[in-house]
């Protein structure tokens, strides 16, 4: 099985230890497969993040800033690069912030 990783940018204050938006990278496992319009399973995996963080960093953006997510995601790209990771997809909004597939650079 190929390796798959997700970066999580969390801006939900109930999920943060402090005031600032944080970033973690987690390994992913396959938890199932997508289905097509007929309800049949495809070969496209559905991933779920598991385990302890492989990387953790804090941005300089307060989670209380209304428009801070864009700045935090830009900072996340720089933080990922500094730790040897790169973005490998598009940002997706989730309940606690944003996620993106990443790979080691």
């Amino acid at each position: 099985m190929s390796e798959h990783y997700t970066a999580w940018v969390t801006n939900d204050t109930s999920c943060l230890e402090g005031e600032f938006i944080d970033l973690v990278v987690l390994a992913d496992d396959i938890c199932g497969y997508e289905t097509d319009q007929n309800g049949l399973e495809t070969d496209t995996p559905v991933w779920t993040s598991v385990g302890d963080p492989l990387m953790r960093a804090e941005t300089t953006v307060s989670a209380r800033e209304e428009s801070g997510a864009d700045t935090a995601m830009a900072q996340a790209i720089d933080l990922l690069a500094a730790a040897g990771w790169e973005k490998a997809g598009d940002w997706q909004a989730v309940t606690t912030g944003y996620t993106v597939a990443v790979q080691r650079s």
Side-chain angles (χ1 to χ4, degrees):
M1 172 172 42
S2 65
E3 294 180 335
H4 195 275
Y5 305 95
T6 298
W8 293 77
V9 171
T10 302
N11 64 356
D12 181 333
T13 57
S14 69
C15 299
L16 296 171
E17 292 179 14
E19 174 184 347
F20 298 99
I21 295 173
D22 73 7
L23 163 70
V24 296
V25 173
L26 298 170
D28 298 324
D29 282 343
I30 296 174
C31 66
Y33 292 86
E34 291 183 9
T35 55
D36 64 17
Q37 66 272 14
N38 298 317
L40 301 174
E41 191 173 87
T42 68
D43 293 334
T44 305
V46 175
W47 300 95
T48 188
S49 294
V50 296
D52 293 327
L54 302 171
M55 181 232 165
R56 179 179 297 236
E58 193 172 80
T59 70
T60 61
V61 181
S62 171
R64 291 170 180 37
E65 283 184 42
E66 286 188 34
S67 59
D70 289 335
T71 303
M73 286 186 289
Q75 282 187 21
I77 292 169
D78 293 338
L79 292 166
L80 287 164
W85 295 91
E86 63 185 3
K87 198 167 88 93
D90 296 324
W91 290 105
Q92 302 294 319
V94 294
T95 306
T96 58
Y98 297 87
T99 63
V100 67
V102 293
Q103 61 192 17
R104 296 184 191 274
S105 53

